[in-house]
Amino acid sequence: MTHSPRQRKLKRSEQLEIYCLGNLKKYLQETTLHGLKYLADNSLTNWEKVFFLSAFITCSGVVIHLISIIYAKWESTPVIIGISPHPTPILRIPLPAVTVCNMNQAMYSKVVNYTKDSKEYVALKYLCHSETALDPELEHSKEFKNNDLELSEFITAHSQPCSRMLVACQISSVDVNCSSLFREVVTDEGLCCAFNNLHPSLLYKRNYHTLNGLKNGADIVPVDWNPETGYPKQLPAKYYPRPTYVTGISMGLTLILNAEVDEYYCSSSSGAGFKVNLASPVDRPLISEGGVAVRLGSETRFRIDALLTESSPAIRSINRRRRRCLFLNEEPLAFYRYYTKTHCENECLAAFLIDRCGCVPYYLPLIHNNSTFCNISRVFCIERTKQEFSQNHGSKCLSRCLTTCFDLTFMPDTFSSPLATINYTIQSSILYNMSKEEVQRNIAVMHFYYRESVIHSELKNVYIGFTEFLSNIGGILGLFMGFSFISIAEIIYFAFFRPIFKFLIPKKYRNSMLITQVRAAPQVNKNWMPEEIYRGVKRHRHSIRGGKGSKRSSFNGSGII
């Protein structure tokens, strides 16, 4: 006698367990990933399935390792520096900003009458003997402690003015009044003469009272230039910063300078002469440490190679700490309109000095509206704090002073030859009419000119962009595992969409699952897949219907209808 099988509704947990196993097997059979289909192949033994599972796991480990290497390279080297395929003519960049400083710190005729108890003599003692600011005994002396003399005003009043330093100027072989080319500026080297700097109203956010001179003619118009955007599209007939059109000495800048050695009171170095610095027109570097010394009685040629650094717009999307450079408008500064590494470092030092000493030296920017220049009584604090800044406390502030993504620097090759020492005809009528002793003793001639008419600039570009990064990862995944975006779609479908469609839409499907439970002799099914259980149930049903007087069987698993 046969018995009809009992039917009952599955519990929700049982439905979920059975469905998940079936869904997993369905995914293994249908996925495009290499090797997984063998795990659902019932014709293979367990050892064969373990082999393919081990191969898949090994490939996954290799893929993870290789992708981690690519990601580390992408993270550590986001920018590559190459050569721009488009050469830049020198017409599109200005001549360098030339700053010339006499090594003489004060004119003898202007300071010789100061007595030792005067404030001016104390200022000379500091300017001529820098080690005095490191003497702790002098710090508390009356002559320094009560001295309120401002160094910038003293230097401006007692140094050699540009009108006496610059004997003659030529630009593009045309004689030019030097006062129309040079501006007086107080630097860490003293009073200097600056050529081709940006106009103060375009360079600084506030007035800078240590800049004087430069009598602009009616036909000379200052324009706003920077390395990132270059010159404005509409330019007047005559403007500065001035460019040059061709190469060579005749088309560059020529200067004849008079050091007036008889007026030397003390020198910033071990002899007489000039210090010269070449920089971008938007930059205002410190001269004392980086200036090139030019000796007297010589003709020095500065053959200039310009190094222009440009950046692709694509690197703007990279974090500044990864690309290690800043665009000119990315880091607002307190005093300067344009960001440069030098400007940032100057403001860092100025902020530290204000915090410790309450003032800044005359050659650093006034970063606050109420900040003031230090007088003589504060020079001891300034020197101590500068040492402290360079040794311990400057690294944190200076770490944010990255290089600029667009920059213009100049690399001069200098060649010197002695000026004439005996009477013979020379090209310069000014030098010809001077005595040879005067020329050897006081005069220096300088030429500034470009070597090449075009510049092959450096171009910062994305080293590994997102497209390249994706291509590299995709190649590794495809080579080892056959992975593609379709594989992602399959995982999402079998992990989310298919269960949602089965259990949530529509609701009536959740109540229609029945199970036929057949009591049969205990039997172990070696295959854990639900479909195998289903086939085992079908065999038991067939044996029940065709059996002879068999009793009710039991089965140690659940079947699927």
Side-chain angles (χ1 to χ4, degrees), residues 102 160 164-167 256-264 272 274 295-298 419-423 426 429-445:
N102 195 333
Q160 183 192 35
R164 295 178 62 170
M165 180 194 298
L166 298 166
V167 177
I256 300 177
L257 301 100
N258 188 347
E260 296 185 332
V261 176
D262 292 337
E263 286 284 356
Y264 264 56
F274 299 95
R295 65 180 182 178
L296 301 177
S298 65
L419 294 173
T421 58
I422 58 177
N423 291 324
I426 57 177
S429 59
I430 297 176
L431 298 181
Y432 182 75
N433 294 326
M434 289 183 178
S435 66
K436 297 301 179 284
E437 182 183 359
E438 173 73 9
V439 170
Q440 291 296 316
R441 182 178 175 80
N442 292 313
I443 301 301
V445 179

Side-chain angles (χ1 to χ4, degrees), residues 147-160:
N147 197 326
D148 58 354
L149 186 66
E150 288 195 9
L151 276 171
S152 61
E153 296 178 357
F154 178 84
I155 291 172
T156 303
H158 296 82
S159 298
Q160 183 192 35

